[in-house]
């Protein structure tokens, strides 16, 4: 959540800085306000897409344990552990 917010905040700061730096003066004010607005909107949209894809995916942890393998031993006349096998779920 914090990473997504941080990326979005950096994107907004970058777009705001670019808009201030590219503000047209009287000499260059030939109908560029639409281009700047379109660039700001596209920049925000791209930032939102990048921020939504940057979050880590959740993978369910794999739980494993060793289960004893028991066999009947006629000498001891009881079940004895002859080994272990790993069981994961």
């Amino acid at each position: 959540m914090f990473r997504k917010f941080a990326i979005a905040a950096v994107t907004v700061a970058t777009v705001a800085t670019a808009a201030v730096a590219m503000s047209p003066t009287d000499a260059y004010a030939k109908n560029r306000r639409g281009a700047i607005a379109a660039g700001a909107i596209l920049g925000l949209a791209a930032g939102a897409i990048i921020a939504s894809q940057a979050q880590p995916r959740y993978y369910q942890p794999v739980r494993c344990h060793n289960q004893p393998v028991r066999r009947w031993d006629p000498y001891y006349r009881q079940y004895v552990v002859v080994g272990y096998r790993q069981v994961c779920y």
Side-chain angles (χ1 to χ4, degrees):
M1 179 70 184
F2 177 74
R3 183 178 177 144
K4 184 176 180 180
F5 177 75
I7 292 173
V10 169
T11 303
V12 169
T14 303
V15 170
T17 305
V20 170
M22 293 180 58
S23 61
T25 59
D26 292 336
Y28 295 104
K30 294 182 180 178
N31 203 8
R32 290 191 184 189
R33 292 176 193 224
I36 292 174
I41 292 170
L42 290 175
L44 287 173
I49 292 170
I50 292 170
S52 69
Q53 297 299 321
Q55 59 188 353
R57 301 289 182 224
Y58 175 76
Y59 295 106
Q60 186 174 5
V62 178
R63 293 182 170 92
C64 297
H65 68 280
N66 291 327
Q67 182 179 15
V69 177
R70 300 174 191 258
R71 299 282 186 255
W72 177 257
D73 190 355
Y75 182 77
Y76 292 110
R77 294 188 178 184
Q78 65 182 4
Y79 285 97
V80 293
V81 177
V82 294
Y84 293 92
R85 67 177 174 175
Q86 191 174 26
V87 178
C88 299
Y89 55 92

